Amino acid sequence: MTGSGTGQLAAIFGCAGIELTSDEQAFFRDTDPFGFILFARNVESPLQLRRLTNDLRDAVGRDAPILIDQEGGRVQRLRAPHWREWNPPLEMVTRSSSPLRAMWLRSRIIAHELRGVGIDANCAPCADIAVEETHPFLKSRCYGFDSDTVLQVSEAVADGLLSGGVLPVIKHLPGHGRAMSDSHLNLPTVAEPIEILRKTDFVPFRGLNDLPMAMTAHIVFSSIDENAPATQSLEMIRVIREDIGFSGLLMTDDLNMQALSGSLGTRTEAAMAAGCDIALHCKGDLDEMRAVAAACGGQSIDTRSRARAALSARRTPDPVDIEALEAELRHLMVDRGRGPMAEADV
């Protein structure tokens, strides 16, 4: 492996299906990645999912963090009939009579469901500020159109997750809202001067900079570094660390996204050289994971310190009456003045 780190691999990996193969078990045992991430392809039932999360941790012999994207709306990996369905976040914020309380309740209920199947980190809050031109892949996932609203809702989301024993992962540093293309497919460019970004897009992330984990954006901010997306830009990582002040564990967005160019090894090396702590590979393809593992190497001393601090934020969930929280949330949701929303609309 390349790099100066040793020991635990500086990576988070997915797996291919609903159960681990013997080859995956051996690979995870040998490389010892920091953690794992799950997708809809890995989900069949609560019993199956609990078995899979146990097997992932058994493969590395420790209580490794297991992540998922359970935002609500178009991005939720756990779905009916076994789990609750959620409206897009922007819709819930807009339609609630008390948006901060509603999003806290929603996040606390989501945390309860995640912990029930062995998942202890959620890739949320999404602290990107929406603008009218925000690409549809992201817009409904945002919490608002101004920095104060986005920060306050993000704080409520993070607190609800933490209260339920789930680590929040802020995304997408330093701000994805101005992107007018989908970074899964293309490399977006944002041209606003850094002075404007400091007063707008950076504000929610600066207010959340004490949270344990965050994810980068595959976006070029041309006024700061016109040659590389934030994930692979030494200057942008400096902005994240010094200007925004985020001192926690910084992971890349998925390295398979087409905003990035070159081989997976090249993509990984560039992200690590720029200052990302953890390489995220989501696809669950074993050959691709081998390439990422060879490129990212073991965790640096600084990464190990940040990783320990992040995991120390995991806690036993506060006692809660989930049915009471659901009832309160339904009461807070009103449908354009016509009264409380139906349970299915929450």
Side-chain angles (χ1 to χ4, degrees), residues 34 49 106 120 155 215:
F34 169 70
L49 191 51
R106 167 187 172 124
D120 59 1
E155 289 173 332
M215 178 186 294

Side-chain angles (χ1 to χ4, degrees), residues 59-77:
V60 294
R62 57 186 167 80
D63 188 17
I66 297 180
L67 292 72
I68 202 164
D69 294 282
Q70 192 72 356
E71 299 175 14
R74 63 183 296 273
V75 180
Q76 50 187 327
R77 315 306 184 193

